Amino acid sequence: MALPTWDHPEPLAVGSAPVPEYGAGSLADLLPTLAAGMEVPGTTAVIQELAPADRACVFLIDGLGWEQLRTHPDEAPFMTSLLASSRGGTGRPITAGYPATTATSLASVGTGLPPGAHGLPGYTVRDPETRELMNQLRWQPWTAPHVWQPYPTVFQLSHEAGVHTAQVSSPAFEHTPLTKVALSGGTFHGRLSGEDRMDLAAAQLGAGDRALVYTYYSEVDGAGHRYGLDSDTWRGQLMHVDRLVQRLAEQLPPRSALYVTADHGMIDVPFDEQHRIDFDEDWELRAGVALLGGEGRARHVYAVPGAESDVLTCWREVLGEQFWVASRDEAIAAGWFGPTVDERVYGRIGDVVAAARDDVLIIASEREPKESAMVGNHGSMTPAEQLVPLLEVRS
Ligand SMILES: [Zn+2]
Protein backbone atom coordinates (compact mmCIF):
# COMPACT_ATOMS: atom_id res chain seq x y z
CA MET A 1 0.00 0.00 0.00
CA ALA A 2 1.29 3.45 -0.89
CA LEU A 3 1.45 5.99 1.87
CA PRO A 4 -1.38 8.49 1.67
CA THR A 5 -0.30 11.80 0.16
CA TRP A 6 -0.33 14.31 2.96
CA ASP A 7 2.20 16.88 1.84
CA HIS A 8 1.63 20.55 1.19
CA PRO A 9 -2.12 21.10 1.33
CA GLU A 10 -2.91 24.56 0.01
CA PRO A 11 -4.20 27.09 2.51
CA LEU A 12 -7.97 27.45 2.79
CA ALA A 13 -8.88 25.24 -0.18
CA VAL A 14 -11.40 22.70 1.08
CA GLY A 15 -10.40 20.25 -1.63
CA SER A 16 -6.83 20.25 -0.34
CA ALA A 17 -7.69 18.57 2.96
CA PRO A 18 -6.06 15.11 3.01
CA VAL A 19 -9.23 13.06 2.78
CA PRO A 20 -9.25 9.54 4.31
CA GLU A 21 -8.55 6.69 1.91
CA TYR A 22 -12.07 5.25 1.90
CA GLY A 23 -12.33 2.18 -0.31
CA ALA A 24 -8.56 1.67 -0.49
CA GLY A 25 -6.97 1.79 2.95
CA SER A 26 -9.28 2.98 5.70
CA LEU A 27 -10.59 1.37 8.88
CA ALA A 28 -13.92 0.68 7.17
CA ASP A 29 -12.09 -1.54 4.66
CA LEU A 30 -10.53 -3.90 7.20
CA LEU A 31 -13.33 -6.22 8.37
CA PRO A 32 -14.91 -6.64 4.92
CA THR A 33 -11.46 -7.71 3.65
CA LEU A 34 -11.03 -10.25 6.46
CA ALA A 35 -14.57 -11.61 6.08
CA ALA A 36 -14.18 -11.87 2.31
CA GLY A 37 -11.11 -14.01 3.00
CA MET A 38 -13.48 -16.40 4.80
CA GLU A 39 -15.92 -16.26 1.87
CA VAL A 40 -18.66 -14.48 3.81
CA PRO A 41 -21.41 -13.46 1.34
CA GLY A 42 -21.89 -9.71 0.95
CA THR A 43 -18.27 -8.82 1.75
CA THR A 44 -15.48 -7.74 -0.60
CA ALA A 45 -11.71 -7.79 -0.16
CA VAL A 46 -10.70 -4.13 -0.40
CA ILE A 47 -7.18 -4.13 1.08
CA GLN A 48 -5.63 -6.39 -1.53
CA GLU A 49 -2.32 -6.94 0.29
CA LEU A 50 -3.96 -8.86 3.15
CA ALA A 51 -3.78 -12.58 2.39
CA PRO A 52 -6.90 -14.53 3.42
CA ALA A 53 -6.89 -16.26 6.83
CA ASP A 54 -9.44 -18.72 8.24
CA ARG A 55 -9.16 -17.08 11.64
CA ALA A 56 -8.72 -13.34 12.04
CA CYS A 57 -8.48 -11.24 15.19
CA VAL A 58 -8.58 -7.44 15.25
CA PHE A 59 -7.03 -5.81 18.33
CA LEU A 60 -8.11 -2.17 18.42
CA ILE A 61 -5.97 0.05 20.66
CA ASP A 62 -7.90 3.22 21.37
CA GLY A 63 -5.86 6.33 20.52
CA LEU A 64 -2.60 4.76 19.30
CA GLY A 65 -1.81 6.56 16.04
CA TRP A 66 0.80 5.44 13.51
CA GLU A 67 3.01 8.46 14.20
CA GLN A 68 2.96 7.92 17.96
CA LEU A 69 3.92 4.28 17.49
CA ARG A 70 6.74 5.15 15.08
CA THR A 71 8.23 7.74 17.43
CA HIS A 72 8.22 5.47 20.53
CA PRO A 73 10.12 2.30 19.56
CA ASP A 74 11.61 1.91 23.06
CA GLU A 75 8.18 1.80 24.70
CA ALA A 76 6.76 -0.51 22.02
CA PRO A 77 9.52 -2.99 21.12
CA PHE A 78 7.20 -5.81 20.07
CA MET A 79 4.96 -3.73 17.80
CA THR A 80 8.05 -2.02 16.40
CA SER A 81 9.55 -5.43 15.58
CA LEU A 82 6.49 -6.13 13.43
CA LEU A 83 7.53 -3.28 11.14
CA ALA A 84 10.91 -4.82 10.32
CA SER A 85 11.46 -6.54 6.98
CA SER A 86 12.81 -9.63 8.78
CA ARG A 87 9.28 -10.09 10.11
CA GLY A 88 7.79 -9.74 6.65
CA GLY A 89 7.46 -5.95 6.73
CA THR A 90 3.83 -6.25 7.67
CA GLY A 91 3.28 -2.87 9.36
CA ARG A 92 1.75 0.03 7.47
CA PRO A 93 -0.55 2.97 8.13
CA ILE A 94 -4.19 3.15 7.14
CA THR A 95 -6.55 6.09 7.60
CA ALA A 96 -9.12 6.23 10.37
CA GLY A 97 -11.87 8.22 8.62
CA TYR A 98 -13.35 11.63 9.35
CA PRO A 99 -13.74 12.64 12.06
CA ALA A 100 -10.95 10.63 13.74
CA THR A 101 -12.94 9.86 16.86
CA THR A 102 -13.92 6.71 18.70
CA ALA A 103 -17.66 6.46 18.03
CA THR A 104 -17.19 7.16 14.33
CA SER A 105 -14.25 4.78 13.95
CA LEU A 106 -15.81 1.88 15.89
CA ALA A 107 -18.87 2.13 13.67
CA SER A 108 -16.62 2.15 10.58
CA VAL A 109 -14.74 -0.93 11.81
CA GLY A 110 -17.84 -2.92 12.70
CA THR A 111 -20.08 -2.05 9.76
CA GLY A 112 -17.34 -1.84 7.15
CA LEU A 113 -18.92 1.42 6.00
CA PRO A 114 -17.68 5.02 5.92
CA PRO A 115 -19.31 7.58 8.26
CA GLY A 116 -21.54 8.99 5.52
CA ALA A 117 -23.28 5.61 5.36
CA HIS A 118 -23.24 4.28 8.95
CA GLY A 119 -24.36 7.69 10.19
CA LEU A 120 -22.16 8.35 13.24
CA PRO A 121 -20.27 11.31 11.74
CA GLY A 122 -18.96 12.84 14.96
CA TYR A 123 -18.54 12.84 18.73
CA THR A 124 -21.72 14.90 19.02
CA VAL A 125 -24.03 15.58 16.07
CA ARG A 126 -27.46 17.12 15.64
CA ASP A 127 -30.44 14.78 15.44
CA PRO A 128 -32.42 16.31 12.53
CA GLU A 129 -35.70 15.06 14.05
CA THR A 130 -35.34 16.63 17.50
CA ARG A 131 -32.91 19.42 16.51
CA GLU A 132 -30.90 18.49 19.63
CA LEU A 133 -27.27 17.41 19.95
CA MET A 134 -26.72 13.71 20.39
CA ASN A 135 -23.56 12.30 21.97
CA GLN A 136 -22.63 9.29 19.84
CA LEU A 137 -20.17 7.82 22.33
CA ARG A 138 -22.49 7.92 25.35
CA TRP A 139 -25.66 7.71 23.21
CA GLN A 140 -27.33 10.63 24.99
CA PRO A 141 -30.14 11.38 24.63
CA TRP A 142 -31.22 7.83 23.86
CA THR A 143 -32.25 7.21 20.26
CA ALA A 144 -33.42 3.92 18.74
CA PRO A 145 -30.07 2.34 17.77
CA HIS A 146 -31.18 0.46 14.67
CA VAL A 147 -33.03 3.44 13.28
CA TRP A 148 -29.92 5.57 13.74
CA GLN A 149 -27.63 2.89 12.19
CA PRO A 150 -29.69 0.39 10.19
CA TYR A 151 -26.94 -1.61 8.45
CA PRO A 152 -25.84 -5.07 9.57
CA THR A 153 -22.34 -5.35 11.00
CA VAL A 154 -19.66 -7.50 9.39
CA PHE A 155 -19.84 -9.63 12.56
CA GLN A 156 -23.54 -10.31 11.86
CA LEU A 157 -22.87 -11.21 8.21
CA SER A 158 -20.03 -13.49 9.30
CA HIS A 159 -22.04 -15.12 12.07
CA GLU A 160 -24.89 -15.84 9.66
CA ALA A 161 -22.38 -17.44 7.29
CA GLY A 162 -21.27 -19.86 10.01
CA VAL A 163 -18.10 -18.05 11.10
CA HIS A 164 -17.46 -18.13 14.86
CA THR A 165 -17.58 -14.47 15.92
CA ALA A 166 -16.82 -12.85 19.27
CA GLN A 167 -16.07 -9.47 20.83
CA VAL A 168 -13.82 -9.34 23.89
CA SER A 169 -13.85 -5.99 25.66
CA SER A 170 -14.73 -4.26 28.92
CA PRO A 171 -17.89 -5.58 30.63
CA ALA A 172 -19.08 -1.96 30.76
CA PHE A 173 -19.64 -1.96 27.00
CA GLU A 174 -21.68 -5.16 26.73
CA HIS A 175 -25.12 -3.56 26.52
CA THR A 176 -24.36 -0.08 25.20
CA PRO A 177 -26.15 1.19 22.08
CA LEU A 178 -22.77 1.91 20.46
CA THR A 179 -21.82 -1.75 20.87
CA LYS A 180 -25.22 -2.72 19.42
CA VAL A 181 -24.87 -0.64 16.27
CA ALA A 182 -21.15 -1.22 15.71
CA LEU A 183 -20.25 -4.64 17.09
CA SER A 184 -23.39 -6.82 17.11
CA GLY A 185 -23.11 -10.41 15.90
CA GLY A 186 -21.82 -13.45 17.74
CA THR A 187 -21.10 -13.27 21.46
CA PHE A 188 -19.79 -10.39 23.57
CA HIS A 189 -17.36 -11.38 26.35
CA GLY A 190 -16.60 -8.80 29.05
CA ARG A 191 -13.25 -9.02 30.87
CA LEU A 192 -11.80 -6.35 33.15
CA SER A 193 -8.07 -6.84 32.58
CA GLY A 194 -6.16 -6.55 29.34
CA GLU A 195 -4.41 -9.86 30.02
CA ASP A 196 -7.71 -11.71 30.40
CA ARG A 197 -8.97 -10.15 27.17
CA MET A 198 -5.90 -11.32 25.26
CA ASP A 199 -6.16 -14.87 26.59
CA LEU A 200 -9.86 -15.07 25.86
CA ALA A 201 -9.48 -13.55 22.38
CA ALA A 202 -6.93 -16.25 21.54
CA ALA A 203 -9.24 -18.96 22.86
CA GLN A 204 -12.18 -17.59 20.89
CA LEU A 205 -10.07 -17.50 17.75
CA GLY A 206 -9.41 -21.22 18.13
CA ALA A 207 -13.08 -22.02 18.82
CA GLY A 208 -14.10 -22.32 15.16
CA ASP A 209 -12.59 -23.51 11.87
CA ARG A 210 -13.34 -19.99 10.69
CA ALA A 211 -13.36 -17.25 13.31
CA LEU A 212 -13.60 -13.46 13.43
CA VAL A 213 -12.69 -11.95 16.81
CA TYR A 214 -12.47 -8.34 17.98
CA THR A 215 -10.76 -7.12 21.11
CA TYR A 216 -10.14 -3.66 22.55
CA TYR A 217 -8.05 -1.66 25.01
CA SER A 218 -8.97 1.92 25.99
CA GLU A 219 -6.33 3.32 28.33
CA VAL A 220 -3.73 4.62 25.88
CA ASP A 221 -6.39 7.11 24.78
CA GLY A 222 -7.42 7.88 28.35
CA ALA A 223 -3.85 8.65 29.42
CA GLY A 224 -3.32 10.83 26.35
CA HIS A 225 -6.43 12.90 27.04
CA ARG A 226 -5.59 13.40 30.70
CA TYR A 227 -1.81 13.77 30.70
CA GLY A 228 -0.75 14.17 27.07
CA LEU A 229 1.55 12.13 24.84
CA ASP A 230 4.61 13.59 26.55
CA SER A 231 3.85 12.02 29.92
CA ASP A 232 5.13 9.02 31.84
CA THR A 233 1.56 7.81 32.24
CA TRP A 234 1.05 7.71 28.46
CA ARG A 235 4.42 6.03 27.88
CA GLY A 236 3.60 3.49 30.60
CA GLN A 237 0.32 2.67 28.89
CA LEU A 238 2.11 2.18 25.58
CA MET A 239 4.56 -0.24 27.26
CA HIS A 240 1.67 -2.13 28.81
CA VAL A 241 -0.29 -2.47 25.59
CA ASP A 242 2.84 -3.56 23.71
CA ARG A 243 3.12 -6.51 26.12
CA LEU A 244 -0.57 -7.27 25.59
CA VAL A 245 -0.05 -7.46 21.82
CA GLN A 246 2.87 -9.84 22.33
CA ARG A 247 0.83 -11.97 24.74
CA LEU A 248 -1.93 -12.37 22.17
CA ALA A 249 0.47 -12.91 19.25
CA GLU A 250 2.20 -15.74 21.12
CA GLN A 251 -1.08 -17.58 21.69
CA LEU A 252 -2.45 -17.51 18.15
CA PRO A 253 -3.95 -20.83 17.11
CA PRO A 254 -2.96 -22.29 13.70
CA ARG A 255 -4.15 -20.63 10.46
CA SER A 256 -4.68 -17.30 12.24
CA ALA A 257 -3.90 -13.67 11.50
CA LEU A 258 -3.80 -10.93 14.14
CA TYR A 259 -4.31 -7.32 13.06
CA VAL A 260 -3.39 -4.55 15.47
CA THR A 261 -4.95 -1.21 14.66
CA ALA A 262 -6.46 1.89 16.31
CA ASP A 263 -9.44 4.18 16.00
CA HIS A 264 -7.39 7.40 15.73
CA GLY A 265 -4.10 9.01 16.78
CA MET A 266 -3.65 12.05 18.98
CA ILE A 267 -2.03 15.46 19.26
CA ASP A 268 -1.11 17.52 22.36
CA VAL A 269 -2.47 21.07 22.32
CA PRO A 270 -0.79 23.82 24.40
CA PHE A 271 -2.83 25.63 27.06
CA ASP A 272 -3.00 29.21 25.82
CA GLU A 273 -5.47 31.42 23.99
CA GLN A 274 -3.65 31.12 20.66
CA HIS A 275 -4.04 27.33 20.62
CA ARG A 276 -7.39 27.06 22.41
CA ILE A 277 -9.99 29.32 20.82
CA ASP A 278 -12.94 29.52 23.20
CA PHE A 279 -16.29 29.44 21.39
CA ASP A 280 -18.08 30.47 24.58
CA GLU A 281 -15.95 33.63 24.80
CA ASP A 282 -15.90 34.52 21.09
CA TRP A 283 -18.94 36.49 19.93
CA GLU A 284 -17.83 36.33 16.27
CA LEU A 285 -17.80 32.52 16.19
CA ARG A 286 -21.09 32.37 18.09
CA ALA A 287 -23.00 34.74 15.78
CA GLY A 288 -25.81 32.91 13.97
CA VAL A 289 -24.91 29.54 15.52
CA ALA A 290 -27.78 27.48 16.95
CA LEU A 291 -25.73 24.45 18.07
CA LEU A 292 -22.05 23.59 18.35
CA GLY A 293 -21.30 19.90 17.77
CA GLY A 294 -18.32 17.64 17.21
CA GLU A 295 -15.18 18.20 19.28
CA GLY A 296 -12.31 20.66 19.49
CA ARG A 297 -10.49 19.54 16.35
CA ALA A 298 -13.55 18.50 14.30
CA ARG A 299 -16.50 20.83 14.70
CA HIS A 300 -20.01 20.52 13.33
CA VAL A 301 -21.60 23.98 13.37
CA TYR A 302 -25.39 24.17 13.04
CA ALA A 303 -26.59 27.61 11.98
CA VAL A 304 -29.79 29.43 12.78
CA PRO A 305 -31.96 28.95 9.64
CA GLY A 306 -30.95 31.55 7.05
CA ALA A 307 -27.55 32.27 8.65
CA GLU A 308 -25.64 29.36 7.06
CA SER A 309 -23.54 31.37 4.62
CA ASP A 310 -22.82 34.15 7.12
CA VAL A 311 -21.56 31.60 9.63
CA LEU A 312 -19.36 30.00 6.96
CA THR A 313 -17.86 33.37 5.99
CA CYS A 314 -17.27 34.35 9.59
CA TRP A 315 -15.67 31.04 10.64
CA ARG A 316 -13.35 31.22 7.62
CA GLU A 317 -12.29 34.74 8.50
CA VAL A 318 -11.75 34.10 12.19
CA LEU A 319 -9.94 30.78 11.82
CA GLY A 320 -7.82 31.63 8.77
CA GLU A 321 -5.39 28.89 7.87
CA GLN A 322 -5.57 27.12 11.22
CA PHE A 323 -8.60 25.08 10.15
CA TRP A 324 -10.07 23.62 6.97
CA VAL A 325 -13.53 25.22 7.01
CA ALA A 326 -16.17 23.83 4.63
CA SER A 327 -19.88 24.08 4.09
CA ARG A 328 -21.74 20.80 4.54
CA ASP A 329 -22.05 20.36 0.77
CA GLU A 330 -18.37 21.18 0.19
CA ALA A 331 -17.23 18.67 2.81
CA ILE A 332 -19.52 16.00 1.38
CA ALA A 333 -18.40 16.72 -2.21
CA ALA A 334 -14.76 16.55 -1.11
CA GLY A 335 -15.41 13.08 0.32
CA TRP A 336 -14.63 13.82 3.96
CA PHE A 337 -17.34 11.39 5.13
CA GLY A 338 -16.93 8.83 2.34
CA PRO A 339 -17.92 8.56 -1.33
CA THR A 340 -21.61 9.15 -0.53
CA VAL A 341 -23.73 10.40 2.35
CA ASP A 342 -27.07 8.72 3.06
CA GLU A 343 -30.13 10.96 3.15
CA ARG A 344 -30.79 10.20 6.84
CA VAL A 345 -27.19 11.23 7.66
CA TYR A 346 -27.15 14.51 5.69
CA GLY A 347 -28.76 16.66 8.39
CA ARG A 348 -26.52 15.22 11.11
CA ILE A 349 -23.54 16.93 9.47
CA GLY A 350 -22.96 20.58 10.39
CA ASP A 351 -23.97 23.44 8.09
CA VAL A 352 -20.31 24.34 8.54
CA VAL A 353 -17.61 21.75 9.20
CA ALA A 354 -14.26 22.86 10.68
CA ALA A 355 -11.25 20.52 10.83
CA ALA A 356 -8.04 21.61 12.57
CA ARG A 357 -4.81 21.85 10.54
CA ASP A 358 -2.49 23.16 13.27
CA ASP A 359 -2.13 22.17 16.94
CA VAL A 360 -5.25 24.15 17.82
CA LEU A 361 -8.70 23.56 19.28
CA ILE A 362 -12.06 25.25 19.35
CA ILE A 363 -12.94 24.63 22.97
CA ALA A 364 -16.20 25.58 24.68
CA SER A 365 -15.27 26.31 28.27
CA GLU A 366 -18.86 26.62 29.52
CA ARG A 367 -20.78 23.97 27.59
CA GLU A 368 -17.91 21.44 27.46
CA PRO A 369 -15.77 22.03 30.59
CA LYS A 370 -14.35 18.49 30.74
CA GLU A 371 -13.46 18.18 27.05
CA SER A 372 -11.99 21.70 27.05
CA ALA A 373 -9.47 20.68 29.73
CA MET A 374 -7.99 17.72 27.84
CA VAL A 375 -4.26 17.77 27.00
CA GLY A 376 -4.29 15.26 24.12
CA ASN A 377 -6.96 15.67 21.43
CA HIS A 378 -8.00 14.17 18.10
CA GLY A 379 -10.64 14.36 15.39
CA SER A 380 -9.14 15.99 12.33
CA MET A 381 -7.26 14.90 9.20
CA THR A 382 -3.64 15.60 10.14
CA PRO A 383 -1.36 12.55 9.92
CA ALA A 384 -0.83 12.51 13.72
CA GLU A 385 -4.51 11.77 14.32
CA GLN A 386 -5.69 10.31 10.99
CA LEU A 387 -3.05 7.62 10.36
CA VAL A 388 -3.41 4.44 12.40
CA PRO A 389 -1.25 1.31 12.35
CA LEU A 390 -2.20 -1.89 10.58
CA LEU A 391 0.20 -4.48 11.97
CA GLU A 392 -0.08 -8.14 11.03
CA VAL A 393 1.05 -11.28 12.83
CA ARG A 394 0.35 -14.69 11.27
CA SER A 395 0.66 -18.07 12.89
ZN1 LIG B 1 -10.20 9.83 22.64
Side-chain angles (χ1 to χ4, degrees), residues 102 221 225 264 378:
T102 298
D221 183 68
H225 283 308
H264 54 76
H378 52 81

PDB file of all heavy atoms in Angstrom, residues 102 221 225 264 378, ligand 1:
ATOM      1  N   THR A 102     -13.636   8.101  18.389  1.00  0.00           N
ATOM      2  CA  THR A 102     -13.918   6.706  18.704  1.00  0.00           C
ATOM      3  C   THR A 102     -15.262   6.210  18.184  1.00  0.00           C
ATOM      4  O   THR A 102     -15.327   5.157  17.551  1.00  0.00           O
ATOM      5  CB  THR A 102     -13.817   6.489  20.231  1.00  0.00           C
ATOM      6  OG1 THR A 102     -12.477   6.795  20.614  1.00  0.00           O
ATOM      7  CG2 THR A 102     -14.150   5.062  20.621  1.00  0.00           C
ATOM      8  N   ASP A 221      -5.618   5.896  25.071  1.00  0.00           N
ATOM      9  CA  ASP A 221      -6.386   7.113  24.780  1.00  0.00           C
ATOM     10  C   ASP A 221      -6.667   7.907  26.052  1.00  0.00           C
ATOM     11  O   ASP A 221      -6.490   9.128  26.089  1.00  0.00           O
ATOM     12  CB  ASP A 221      -7.711   6.716  24.110  1.00  0.00           C
ATOM     13  CG  ASP A 221      -8.539   7.913  23.709  1.00  0.00           C
ATOM     14  OD1 ASP A 221      -8.129   8.648  22.799  1.00  0.00           O
ATOM     15  OD2 ASP A 221      -9.605   8.124  24.326  1.00  0.00           O
ATOM     16  N   HIS A 225      -5.508  11.787  26.769  1.00  0.00           N
ATOM     17  CA  HIS A 225      -6.426  12.899  27.037  1.00  0.00           C
ATOM     18  C   HIS A 225      -6.072  13.607  28.338  1.00  0.00           C
ATOM     19  O   HIS A 225      -6.041  14.820  28.419  1.00  0.00           O
ATOM     20  CB  HIS A 225      -7.876  12.405  27.115  1.00  0.00           C
ATOM     21  CG  HIS A 225      -8.485  12.128  25.784  1.00  0.00           C
ATOM     22  ND1 HIS A 225      -8.476  13.048  24.758  1.00  0.00           N
ATOM     23  CD2 HIS A 225      -9.123  11.028  25.300  1.00  0.00           C
ATOM     24  CE1 HIS A 225      -9.091  12.538  23.706  1.00  0.00           C
ATOM     25  NE2 HIS A 225      -9.487  11.309  24.000  1.00  0.00           N
ATOM     26  N   HIS A 264      -7.889   6.062  16.072  1.00  0.00           N
ATOM     27  CA  HIS A 264      -7.388   7.398  15.730  1.00  0.00           C
ATOM     28  C   HIS A 264      -6.064   7.588  16.434  1.00  0.00           C
ATOM     29  O   HIS A 264      -5.732   6.808  17.347  1.00  0.00           O
ATOM     30  CB  HIS A 264      -8.376   8.496  16.167  1.00  0.00           C
ATOM     31  CG  HIS A 264      -8.737   8.409  17.622  1.00  0.00           C
ATOM     32  ND1 HIS A 264      -7.886   8.814  18.629  1.00  0.00           N
ATOM     33  CD2 HIS A 264      -9.836   7.922  18.252  1.00  0.00           C
ATOM     34  CE1 HIS A 264      -8.451   8.591  19.799  1.00  0.00           C
ATOM     35  NE2 HIS A 264      -9.637   8.035  19.613  1.00  0.00           N
ATOM     36  N   HIS A 378      -8.002  14.786  19.433  1.00  0.00           N
ATOM     37  CA  HIS A 378      -7.998  14.169  18.103  1.00  0.00           C
ATOM     38  C   HIS A 378      -9.305  14.486  17.411  1.00  0.00           C
ATOM     39  O   HIS A 378     -10.217  15.040  18.035  1.00  0.00           O
ATOM     40  CB  HIS A 378      -7.794  12.657  18.210  1.00  0.00           C
ATOM     41  CG  HIS A 378      -8.752  11.977  19.164  1.00  0.00           C
ATOM     42  ND1 HIS A 378     -10.028  11.645  18.814  1.00  0.00           N
ATOM     43  CD2 HIS A 378      -8.607  11.609  20.471  1.00  0.00           C
ATOM     44  CE1 HIS A 378     -10.634  11.075  19.848  1.00  0.00           C
ATOM     45  NE2 HIS A 378      -9.795  11.052  20.881  1.00  0.00           N
TER      46      HIS A 378
HETATM   47 ZN    ZN B   1     -10.202   9.825  22.644  1.00  0.00          ZN
END
